Amino acid sequence: MPPTTPLTVDEDDFMNSLLSGLGSSIHAESSKHQPQSQHIKSPVKISQNKRRLSDTSHPRKRHCDTPPDLDVVALLDGAENWDWKEMEVGFLTPKKVQEYDLAGLLDGAEDWDWEDMEADFLTPKKHSSTAQKPSIPPGKAYARETCTRCTVESVSSDSSDNAFQKVLSVRVHRGEHRSVILRDDWANSDIRAGDIINVLGEFDLFSKVITVSSQSNLLIHHPDLLLTATALSNAPQCRRKPLLSALVRSTSDVTPAIVWGNMLHEVMQSCMISQRWDERWIDERIDEVVRRSLAELVKIGLGVDEAKREVKTRSKGLRVFSERYMADVPKPDAILTNTRAAYGQTSLLAISELHDVEEDIWSPTYGLKGKLDATVQAVIAQSTIEKQLKHQSLLSEHVMPFEIKTGRSVAGMEHRAQTMLYTLLASERYGVEVPSGLLYYTQSEEVVQVPRGKNELRALIGARNEMAAYMMRRSTTAKDIEGSDVEPFLPPTIDDERTCKKCYALDACMLYRKAVEDVQDDSSPIADTYALKTSHLTPAQAAFFKQWESLISLEEQDLVRFKKELWTMNAQEREEKGRCFSSMAIDLSYRAGNKQLPEKIHRYTYRFIRVLDVGATGDTARSLLNGHMSCGDAITVSVEPELLALARGFIVELTPHEVILGVDHEISAGKIAARLRTLRGAAAPVIFRIDKDELFGGMGRIRDNLAQLFYADGDTRRLELVVDLRQPRFDDKTETQDYLQLIPEYVGASASLNSSQLGAMTRVLSAQDYALILGMPGTGKTTVIAALIRTLVGMGRSVLLTSYTHSAVDTILLKLKDVDFGVLRLGNVDKVHPDVRKFTLADRKTAATIEQLENQIMTPPVVRNLAARKGGLETSLFRRLSDAHPGAVVDLTYQYRMNEDIMELSNKLIYGGRLRCGSDTVAKRCLVLPSRTFVESLRSGACICRHGECWLEQILSESCKVVFIDTDLLPAHESRVGDLVQNDIEASLVYQLVEALLRSDVRQDQIGVMSPYRQQIKLLSHLLQDRRQIEILTADRSQGRDKDCIIISMVRSNDSGQIGDLIKDWRRINVSFTRARSKLVIIGSQTTLSLTPLLTEFFTLVEDRKWILKLASGTESMHEIVESPRSGIRSPGKRDVKSAGLGRSQDSEEHKRQTARTPRIDEGLLRGRPVLNDIVNGEK
C-alpha cells in the first residue's frame, strides 16, 4: 500500500496526544532539545492502549521500564514522512521488564524504511515459551430463520394504503391454511396456484398471516429448483444468460484464461490443504495439474512445457500470500481490502484454518447451491485512527467462504454477488454466522472482504425467484411437443449490442431466439448480430432443433422428479422407495487399498454399515441389496436434516450389510460430530444417509451437442447429413480395395475375416461421410470394429470409439490388449473392466507430451419419459440414417458364436432365417464337461430326485444345448421388494446349476448368469459372491459378451399375468438368448411368460424341439450338496408372494382388493411409462 501523508493539523494533534503520557524526565529532555518545527509545538504525551493490534500480532512481548535519558527528538526525527495510517498507536510506548540503551538501538533511525518494518522490531522477545494467542471472541451461532414450506392454493391482488399487494392463500404440509401478503417488489412475483414456496419468517400466531416486504421476511419460489450462486451472480445484468448456461452446458468454450485459472485453483487448493508453500512443492503440484488437464491443453493448442511455464508464472504470488495471510493472528502487512469500510478504518486478515475445498453446499431453504473454492477460519483485526486519537482495535473470528479469482483484478458486482450468496450457504452448513466472505485476486495479490448486504441479498433472491419461474415454464412448455401458443421459458434479450456481442452464451441465445421463440427482428440494436448468427438456418432446420430440444426437456423432467426427494423425504421414507440407505455409519476398521486414483470423484474410499444391524441376525437385518441402488450408481452422502450432500461419489461394492463408496470429499466423523454440536447445541451421534443421485449434466451436454450443429460456425457438414439427410458419399470400391492391400495393418487384420466382414470393412474405409454396419448376434461386429481400428491407425488416423455403455467399449478394447499403438480409455475408472484399466490415465505415468484426446459424452441408454418416447427421442441416429439411406448399410450374416440350436431361436423369432453359422465346427459346438465325477456322484446317492430322473444330470448332458426349465409345478413365485421384483426359487436353481458346472471342472469364466431385472441380479450376485470370475449381467451390460454357458433367470411368475415391459422388449430378449456359445439355459414360468406374443412363438419352437424341462414340486431341494449356504436377501419389509397378491393362493383376490384401496405412489408414477419401468426394474 503506498504511504499516505496526513494533514499537518492532524499530525500536530496526533503528536500532542501521542507524547502526552511520558514521564517527567522525558518532558525535560524533550524541552531541552525541542526543535523549531511546526510539527511539534509543545510537550507531548504517549498513551498506552491496553489492546493494541501489535499485541495480537506478536503475543510474546513484555513491558520494560522507561530509560531515564530517552532522546525523543532523535526518536521522532523524520516523523513528518511516516505513514501514520499504517502505524500502530503504541509503537513508541516504553516497555517494562529490563533497561536497555534505546538511544544506541535507534542509532541511524533516520534512514530506516518504516513502511517495510515489522511493528515490533524493537520489542524484546520473551524467553519463555508460554505465549498465548490473544483472546478472540467466538463466532455467533447461526440463527436460522423459520422456514415454512407451503403450497399456494390461490392468488389475489388488492391495494392497501394506495400500494399494490398480492395475497397468497397457502396450505402448509400439515394441512393448515395460512395467508402470505406480498408487498413492494415482492408483489410483482409470478406466483400461481399449485406452486411451492418457502416463507422465511414468523407467521402471526393468531391471524396466521405473514407479510413479505422490502423490510422484513423472504419468499423463495420453487425452492426445489436449486440455482447456482454463479448463475445468480450474472442475473442482475441479464436474466437470460444464466438460464441458457444451465440448459446448454458447453464443453467446447475453453479459452487459455479459463484453463490457466482452473489449474491455478487446483494448485492453490493443494497448498492450502497440505499447508506447504515451498517452491518445490508448488512445482510438483503444477506438474500433476498439467498432467490431469491434457484434454484442455489440446483444445487450446498448447503443450505441456508451455503450460507449466505459464502456471508457474501465475503462481508466483502464492508463497507471498502464505507468508502474509496464513497465520493464527493477523500480521501487519496482511492488508484486507474492504470497500465498505468507514473512513480511516483499516483491516488485517489471518487465515488460521482450512475447513474444506471445492465444497458442494445445497440449500433447499433458499433454493440455492454452490461449490465454494475454499471455506476458511478467518481472523480479522479492524482498527480506526481518527482525528482525536479515538483508537479502536477489534479482533473477530469467523468461518468464511474464500473465492479465488485468477482473472481480472477488479471486485466486480458478479464476484461480490456470488460471495454474498456463499455466506448464506456457509452459514447453513457450519451453523455459525458468516457476516462476510473473502475474494482473493491472484493477479493483484489483493484480498477483498465482501460483507453480507441485506438489500443486495434481497435483490438476488428476487432475481432467483424470477429465474425459477421461467425454469418451471420450461417444464410446462415441454409438454407441448408442437410448441403452439405456449409461454416463453426464457426472459427476453436485453438488446444491448456491446454487452451481447461479448457474451459467452451469444450463440445459444440467438439460436433459441430464432428456432424456439421465432423472433422476427430487423430493427433492434442486436438485429445485425441476430442475422449474423441465425440467417443460415432454414425453417426445417429450426423446426428440427425446436422439436428435439423439447424432447430432451421432457426426458429431463423424470430426473428432476427424484432429485427433490433428498430433502422432501426422510431417509426411512426414501429407503422404502429403494433409493436410499438409512441409518448408516462409517466402519472405522476398514482400510482402503494404497492405490491413489487421480479422479475428481473417487478420491476417498469408505465402508459403511448399518447402525441398526449391530446384533441383528437372519431376517431381522435389513439388506442393502433391496432397492434400486447397485454398484456403479451415483450417490450422495448426507447427515439429515442439516448436512445435505456432504460428499458425492459412486458405489464401488455392495453386499447385504455393507457398502463401499468412492467419494470426492473426506468424511470425518469427528469433524461432523463437532459441526452437529454447533448446529444442534448438543452432542449427537453421526448417522449417515446414502441416497441415489440423479446426474443432470448429461442432458445439458446433449443439448450442447445438438446446438453445435446449428451454430453459424458450427458443424455444417453434419448438419446436412443428420438434419437435412444428405446422401452420404463413398469412394470407388475397387480403388479402395487396391489401396488397402498396401496397408500392412489391413492385410493382417483382415486375414481371418469372411466375405461379409471384408465387405463391411471396405464399405467403412471407402466412406467419406459415414457407413452403417448392421450386424446380427455373433456375426463378428466386435471383431470387425477391432480390425477397423487397427487399420485406421495404420493409415495414420486417430480413432474415437464411443458407446452408451462402458461394457461395450471395454469388450472391443479386450480385443486390442496387445496392440503396439497408444490407447487412452476415458471414463470413471471404477466402471472400467479390470483387464483394460491399463489404458486409463490412472495407470499411466506422468505424460511428457500431449496425446490427442476427445471428450467422451455418455448419453442415457434408454428414454424414460413416455411423451418423449412417442415424440421420437428413442429414435437412434443409426435408425434415422439407415431409414433415410439404406444404401449406406452393410449387413453381416455369418456368425461364429452360437451353435445351430441356439442360433435357431434368433433366426425363427427375429431374423427370418437370414443368420448363418460361419462353419460346421461352430454349428456343432457343445459344452463338454472336463470331469464326470460330479455327475457320477448324482447317480450314487447325492441326488434324491423322484422317478429316477435328475434334472441337473439332464442339463449337464452334452446333447442338451438349449433348454427351458419350467418352474410352474414347484412353484417358484416371484416376490416384491418395494416396487422391484425378484425370484428366490429361480435364484436357488441358478446357484445349484452353476455349482454343478463348476464341480464338473467347467471354468468360472466360461459361465455367464443373466436376468432382465436388476433386483434379481443383486440377489444372484449375493449368492455367487465367492465366484468372482462369473459375470452376472443384464441384457444391456452383456452387449458384445459371450460365454460357453449362459443361464437366464426370467423372474416373472404370478397369477395376474403381470410380465412387465422388460420381458416384452424383443431386443433385450434377443441379446440375452444370443450370448451363449454352447449351452443356453432359461429358467422361468411358462404359464406367465407365454402371455407375451414374442415368447409365445418361443414356446412353440421349444415344445416342437422338445427343449422344455418341467420341474416337479420340491425339485429345488433335491440336491443338498450344491445348495447355497447363504439365505436370500429378504428384508423385514419384503412381502412374500401371498402377501403381495402375486402368487397362486386363496388370498390373491382379497389382497388385490386391499391393494386397490392403497395404491403405491411409485406404481402410479410408473403406470403408462414402459421405459421408465425398464429403468426401475432393469439396469442402466
Side-chain angles (χ1 to χ4, degrees), residues 178-232:
R178 301 183 184 182
S179 295
V180 180
I181 300 175
L182 305 182
R183 292 179 178 167
D184 305 325
D185 289 344
W186 299 100
N188 299 321
S189 301
D190 181 21
I191 299 178
R192 308 176 184 188
D195 289 353
I196 302 296
I197 61 173
N198 279 354
V199 179
L200 276 62
E202 296 286 351
F203 281 83
D204 184 86
L205 292 177
F206 300 101
S207 63
K208 305 297 183 184
V209 175
I210 189 172
T211 299
V212 180
S213 68
S214 60
Q215 301 299 317
S216 61
N217 305 318
L218 291 173
L219 181 143
I220 311 299
H221 196 194
H222 303 302
D224 297 328
L225 296 176
L226 303 186
L227 276 68
T228 67
T230 303
L232 279 181

Side-chain angles (χ1 to χ4, degrees), residues 147-307:
C147 177
T148 307
R149 183 181 175 94
C150 311
T151 301
V152 178
E153 294 194 322
S154 65
V155 182
S156 60
S157 304
D158 63 36
S159 296
S160 177
D161 299 328
N162 297 321
F164 175 74
Q165 67 178 24
K166 280 185 179 178
V167 180
L168 312 179
S169 176
V170 302
R171 184 183 72 255
V172 298
H173 69 281
R174 296 182 301 273
E176 181 183 353
H177 288 80
R178 301 183 184 182
S179 295
V180 180
I181 300 175
L182 305 182
R183 292 179 178 167
D184 305 325
D185 289 344
W186 299 100
N188 299 321
S189 301
D190 181 21
I191 299 178
R192 308 176 184 188
D195 289 353
I196 302 296
I197 61 173
N198 279 354
V199 179
L200 276 62
E202 296 286 351
F203 281 83
D204 184 86
L205 292 177
F206 300 101
S207 63
K208 305 297 183 184
V209 175
I210 189 172
T211 299
V212 180
S213 68
S214 60
Q215 301 299 317
S216 61
N217 305 318
L218 291 173
L219 181 143
I220 311 299
H221 196 194
H222 303 302
D224 297 328
L225 296 176
L226 303 186
L227 276 68
T228 67
T230 303
L232 279 181
S233 65
N234 292 312
Q237 183 185 38
C238 174
R239 299 283 199 271
R240 187 178 176 93
K241 177 167 65 174
L243 290 179
L244 281 168
S245 299
L247 285 172
V248 183
R249 299 187 182 183
S250 176
T251 57
S252 59
D253 297 334
V254 178
T255 64
I258 292 175
V259 173
W260 308 139
N262 291 340
M263 290 184 180
L264 189 54
H265 267 77
E266 291 191 47
V267 171
M268 185 170 186
Q269 288 168 341
S270 297
C271 292
M272 296 179 78
I273 292 170
S274 63
Q275 283 303 296
R276 289 190 59 182
W277 303 85
D278 56 277
E279 185 176 359
R280 179 179 177 182
W281 173 265
I282 292 175
D283 286 346
E284 290 175 353
R285 303 290 77 74
I286 291 173
D287 288 347
E288 290 179 0
V289 169
V290 169
R291 185 176 69 86
R292 290 198 300 265
S293 306
L294 294 182
E296 284 69 28
L297 294 180
V298 169
K299 292 177 184 178
I300 61 176
L302 295 176
V304 169
D305 293 336
E306 187 175 358

